[in-house]
Amino acid sequence: PGLVQLGYWRGELAHSDHKPVAALFSAAVLRYDRRRLDALLAAARREVDRLQESLRPRVSVSPVCLDAGEWVAAGRPVRLRMLLRNEGGVEAVWHWVPPPRPPTPAPLPPQQGQQVQGLQARRSGAGSTGGGGGGAAGGGMLVGLLDDDDDEEEEEGPALPPWLSSQPAEGVLAPGQTCEVVLTVLVEGGPGGAAGELMMAAPATPAAAAVAATAVPPSAAAPPAAVAAVPSSPSPSSPLLPPGPLVPLECIAILRVEDAGDKFISIAGRHVRSFLGLPLPALAQLGRTPLLPPALAQQLAAQLGLPPLQLQPQEEQPQQQDEQQQQQPQQQDCSAPGVCAGGLRVLPKEVAALLAALRAGGGAALRTPGVLVDSAALVLLRAGAAEAEAAGAAEGVVACTAGVGAVGGTAGGGGGDEEAAEAEAAEAMQPRSVGAQRALVRELSWLRLHLDAGGQVPPGTPPHALAALLLLWCGQLPYTLIPAAAADAAAAAPPASAADAVALLRTHCDPHQLAAVSELIRLFRTALAPAAAACNGLTAARLAVAVGAWWLPPLAAGAAADAGRNRRALLTVLLTEEEEVVVDDGERPEV
């Protein structure tokens, strides 16, 4: 319709038989304004983006930097709060995600790998004669090619470090809704706790590196595959203490909002370390050095609202220093009995101080009614029934309340049924839950700080507090004092004699575990002596159950019906028959 014909004619040619024709048209042409067109397209795109953005959540986080402070003590939670607000028009789904993993080198083909190794060797040799570490760095760049598939894999591992937890850990926010998220910074011991992992650092000094290099003889070192398969029994060289009494807590947590991107939350603080929760090799590495300087321990006690510590100046306790030289790890000839490879006495000085206090005065503390078996529950009772129940120790406290008055009547033993009943009562009175152990750590903080500062047990400390801290130390170890392999072997075939039990422990325990078990067994035998048992009411059956609750790993699901009884038999035999559990065959370790 925009094209109109105006005329048509034919050309008259006299010299050709062709008759050309012509026509004239009028056309209406549309001319596009490119600038205006581009502006309209841009406006349309912005409108689409606005519509899409209105269908996505918009979450604000405040604050994004959180500080737990300088006094994050063992077992004392520090709670940090932040607010999430959904400012968009649709609901927002949020959760924590693990940090991205660094790219891993892909394995090279065999021929190319040999070429790279040869090139690295040549560069390392050239670097050692001239330019320092340049050759080693250059060779390290040729280890392998990056695996492109790693970027497409989903994140694995925990989203938050072991010392940090979130409540709630995920959620859904409606449009305009605000949610408070509580991040709890808590360093505690026990299997899976953060205390042991925070101590697993690189050697801080050349001396520590030398100890690590000599802790396990090369001939006895397990292959890497074997070490990775049995992480519950670390070698004496693996945990080395970082320098200083304060351990930094640093984390960049990633909060992911689905279809809206990630938010990065910075959490920082410093943990005041304690002997509770440290691996045995790390405690042995300390030697006579206290974990905390006395002044710092006093400041921490004030921060926690505790009474001033009764720490004597060094010049006022020469006799105690002489005793500590015998009780605490010393540099020795590695061939001497009772000394682990690397020349360190393997019994921690903090445990030696507790043992000495319990044995003081001819073992007066060990004659206290219910000592060891009832001690942890009685300490929780002192904390108050409400707090103990909130900590998850109600069962133990109730059992303790009902059983403390009847302790003296169980000393004489009895038949199998009576021993089984005693065993069940003793097991029920052990507050082994996570909440109960946290309550015990709080209640025993004042006593624990004395040992952290390298001091002695304060005079007048109740015997139940000493025994409870000793058992709590066992439960706070990053691995059980008796390894799972030994417990499983005993569950399958209980040892018939103390010699069999000792052989079983020597097969599966390292020198640090053997030293601790040896000295604790000697203490328990003293408490079971007839004169002491007449006062404290202990029997071997009750004590074996109580000790097993802190020493042995939990029974696996589907274990045999007699597995628990067989495992208790291992401890009962050790408690009732005289057989030394020592690091070497020649001598028990000094304490």
Side-chain angles (χ1 to χ4, degrees), residues 2 59 105 136 156 175 210 216 234 270 278 281 288 364 370 415 432 440 463 493 498 513 523 537 574:
V59 175
E156 297 179 358
V216 178
R270 290 208 289 180
L278 291 189
R288 300 186 184 93
R432 284 284 288 116
L440 282 173
Q513 293 170 312
L523 177 80
L574 291 173

Side-chain angles (χ1 to χ4, degrees), residues 85-266:
R85 179 175 178 80
N86 185 1
E87 300 173 350
V90 296
E91 66 180 16
V93 179
W94 65 271
H95 57 94
W96 301 100
V97 297
R101 296 179 301 170
T104 56
L108 292 174
Q111 183 177 2
Q112 187 177 357
Q114 295 175 1
Q115 295 174 356
V116 169
Q117 291 177 1
L119 180 58
Q120 288 177 340
R122 290 194 297 272
R123 291 190 175 183
S124 298
S128 61
T129 60
M141 296 175 62
L142 297 175
V143 171
L145 302 176
L146 295 181
D147 189 356
D148 296 334
D149 296 337
D150 288 348
D151 297 336
E152 300 178 359
E153 296 180 0
E154 296 182 357
E155 298 90 346
E156 297 179 358
L160 300 175
W163 48 267
L164 184 65
S165 62
S166 174
Q167 183 60 37
E170 58 185 6
V172 179
L173 286 175
Q177 184 181 4
T178 300
C179 172
E180 181 183 62
V181 178
V182 179
L183 294 173
T184 302
V185 178
L186 176 62
V187 179
E188 56 187 350
E197 292 193 17
L198 288 175
M199 298 301 106
M200 304 280 284
T205 63
V211 171
T214 59
V216 178
S219 60
V227 174
V230 194
S232 59
S233 297
S235 67
S237 63
S238 53
L240 293 175
L241 290 172
L246 301 178
V247 182
L249 304 175
E250 298 176 350
C251 169
I252 301 295
I254 303 176
L255 179 70
R256 175 159 298 173
V257 181
E258 295 296 338
D259 200 27
D262 295 338
K263 309 291 182 180
F264 298 94
I265 316 299
S266 174

Side-chain angles (χ1 to χ4, degrees), residues 452-475:
D452 286 337
Q456 299 299 304
V457 172
T461 301
H464 284 299
L466 297 172
L469 184 57
L470 185 63
L471 295 175
L472 178 63
W473 170 75
C474 299

